Amino acid sequence: MIVGAAAGAICGYLGVYVVLKRIIFVSAALTQISSFGVAMSFYLQSLGLALFSTLIGPFAISLILTCAAGAFFALKREFPRISGEGIIAFGFLIASGGVIILGDRIAVGAHDISTILFGSAVVVAPAEVYIIPAAAFSAFIIHLFLYKDFVFVSFDGEAARLFKYPVRILNTLLLVTVAVVVAVATRALGALPVFALLALPPLAALNLTEKLRLVFVISSILGVLSASLGYFFSFILSMPTGASITVCAAIIFLLSISVRELGKA
């Protein structure tokens, strides 16, 4: 639950940028690319390349691919006759297809592939209890020091360019921090709940307040709440953890809509 709470907090925070910058599909693509990296490691083991995958490890392969994709999406948004959204969609689809194909080729790792996609309360390795909170804390520190810069370039890019801000560098750093968190969290929670934590808590927070600073705070709190409740109900009801976290986040989002409508009445 500690891992889930840490992942929920940082995903909820970073998800505010993802939602307000209208790049939710980027987070979906990154979660699938991260899953593909882990699946690739299992596949290399099945081919007898256990030494290679052991030296690099599933997490390292996932991290490298996800960070590379995040930087690519940030630096190269348009291609001749193809929009940036089209490239992101291609990344999402090819990674999703790759995970399914590799999972079909790895009979021994079928359960592991299912865990990557949907999460499990019992799959968290001891090292991940330290890695995920450490990654979340590091991301929070980076965003604490660069908060004003990230907000400026994210929501008023043209003005930021006029003031000579390094917009491309800051946008790349922002997406790379998202990619690192996605790679770390996906290994423990699964692609589905990580995507849900990046999208639903920020959407719920935006229903509750229009003040940007409060949106970040509330979204982080709702991310922790969604992950914690998801683990709790998964344990007592014997449900898949990833699905439980996703449903809890969705219910909180629906409740936030109700609160907003009641406030209007």
Side-chain angles (χ1 to χ4, degrees), residues 178-204:
V178 173
V180 170
V181 168
V182 165
V184 172
T186 298
R187 180 67 185 96
L189 301 183
L192 176 65
V194 171
F195 179 44
L197 290 171
L198 282 167
L200 295 175
L203 290 172

Side-chain angles (χ1 to χ4, degrees), residues 21 149-163 165 167:
K21 286 169 68 69
D149 297 320
F150 281 146
V151 168
F152 193 24
V153 301
S154 295
F155 307 129
D156 197 353
E158 292 302 321
R161 289 185 179 89
L162 290 175
F163 282 97
Y165 272 70
V167 175

Side-chain angles (χ1 to χ4, degrees), residues 15-74:
V16 176
Y17 289 107
V18 171
V19 169
L20 291 180
K21 286 169 68 69
R22 299 182 180 181
I23 54 172
I24 290 182
F25 209 14
V26 170
S27 64
L30 291 177
T31 55
Q32 289 302 319
I33 291 169
S34 177
S35 298
F36 176 76
V38 180
M40 176 63 72
S41 177
F42 288 129
Y43 182 64
L44 291 174
Q45 289 180 3
S46 72
L47 291 179
L49 299 176
L51 177 61
F52 175 77
S53 62
T54 300
L55 290 174
I56 298 180
F59 168 68
I61 296 175
S62 171
L63 183 64
I64 292 169
L65 289 178
T66 311
C67 288
F72 178 78
F73 290 148

